[in-house]
Amino acid sequence: MIFERRRENRSTTRLRPGKLITETGRFLCDCAVIERSPTGARVRAFAPVDDTLPEELFLFDEVEAFKWRARIIWAKGAELGLELASSSLPVDDAERHRIAGRFYAVGN
């Protein structure tokens, strides 16, 4: 018997592109959002995540141009389980361009 700890069912997102960023907007790494619900997400990070990520950060969805305040609940290899600690926050065009820009990770 499998014990499910999630409060809500997650939906598969077909590897939606995203980014993990700090509270100040600094780039941490690119990721793929594998599953998401209103209160959580499972992502696959495209960078080493052993000791490099803070416990609290933002998840940015490049397709929807929203971000969520998030907390890392678990990590297994490159996959992370995130608790979404806020509802979706809109990202204006200037911030979206800065975050999703082609060279975002350079110099930020």
Side-chain angles (χ1 to χ4, degrees), residues 8-24:
E8 300 182 40
N9 290 331
R10 290 187 183 163
S11 300
T12 302
T13 60
R14 298 183 186 228
L15 301 178
R16 188 180 288 264
K19 296 194 186 299
L20 298 177
I21 56 178
T22 66
E23 291 189 15
T24 60

Side-chain angles (χ1 to χ4, degrees), residues 11-57:
S11 300
T12 302
T13 60
R14 298 183 186 228
L15 301 178
R16 188 180 288 264
K19 296 194 186 299
L20 298 177
I21 56 178
T22 66
E23 291 189 15
T24 60
R26 188 176 63 82
F27 175 83
L28 294 168
C29 70
D30 287 303
C31 67
V33 181
I34 299 167
E35 298 175 328
R36 194 178 75 214
S37 76
T39 58
R42 180 167 60 110
V43 302
R44 182 171 297 128
F46 299 130
V49 296
D50 297 338
D51 297 321
T52 59
L53 296 179
E55 184 178 330
E56 296 189 10
L57 41 76

Side-chain angles (χ1 to χ4, degrees), residues 11 17 24 32 34 47 53 59-60 65 67 78-79 88-89 93 95-96 104:
S11 300
T24 60
I34 299 167
L53 296 179
L59 170 62
F60 173 70
K67 65 181 179 180
E79 290 196 2
S88 58
L89 304 167
D93 287 340
E95 184 178 12
R96 180 181 184 179
Y104 180 66

